[in-house]
């Protein structure tokens, strides 16, 4: 499972990403969706970091949110 942050920490990190990166979370989620079809969590984090020059924590939070939303879509 990709969860390593508490829910509160994850939400706080997501709230800071637009200010730190200049892009909204929805833009980052679209970038992940349009990126390569990687399977493993850490592969996705690594790709996002290197492709977009993101900090590790930001990339990890984006991928975690992406995985949460993808799982919610499958259940809904």
């Amino acid at each position: 499972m990709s969860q390593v942050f508490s829910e509160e920490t994850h939400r706080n990190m997501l709230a800071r990403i637009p200010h730190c990166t200049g892009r909204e979370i929805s833009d980052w989620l679209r970038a992940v969706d349009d990126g390569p079809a990687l399977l493993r969590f850490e592969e996705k984090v690594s790709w996002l970091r290197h492709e977009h020059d993101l900090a590790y924590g930001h990339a990890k939070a984006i991928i975690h949110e992406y995985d949460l939303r993808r799982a919610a879509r499958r259940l809904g």
Side-chain angles (χ1 to χ4, degrees), residues 13-58:
M13 180 75 80
L14 285 181
R16 287 191 307 264
I17 287 173
H19 174 72
C20 295
T21 67
R23 291 176 69 178
E24 295 298 320
I25 296 300
S26 58
D27 294 337
W28 287 116
L29 297 176
R30 220 173 357 267
V32 174
D33 221 17
D34 293 341
L38 302 170
L39 298 177
R40 295 180 52 235
F41 181 82
E42 286 298 329
E43 288 176 324
K44 294 176 197 175
V45 170
S46 181
W47 170 80
L48 197 57
R49 288 184 67 209
H50 296 294
E51 184 71 20
H52 297 282
D53 197 31
L54 288 177
Y56 178 73
H58 291 154

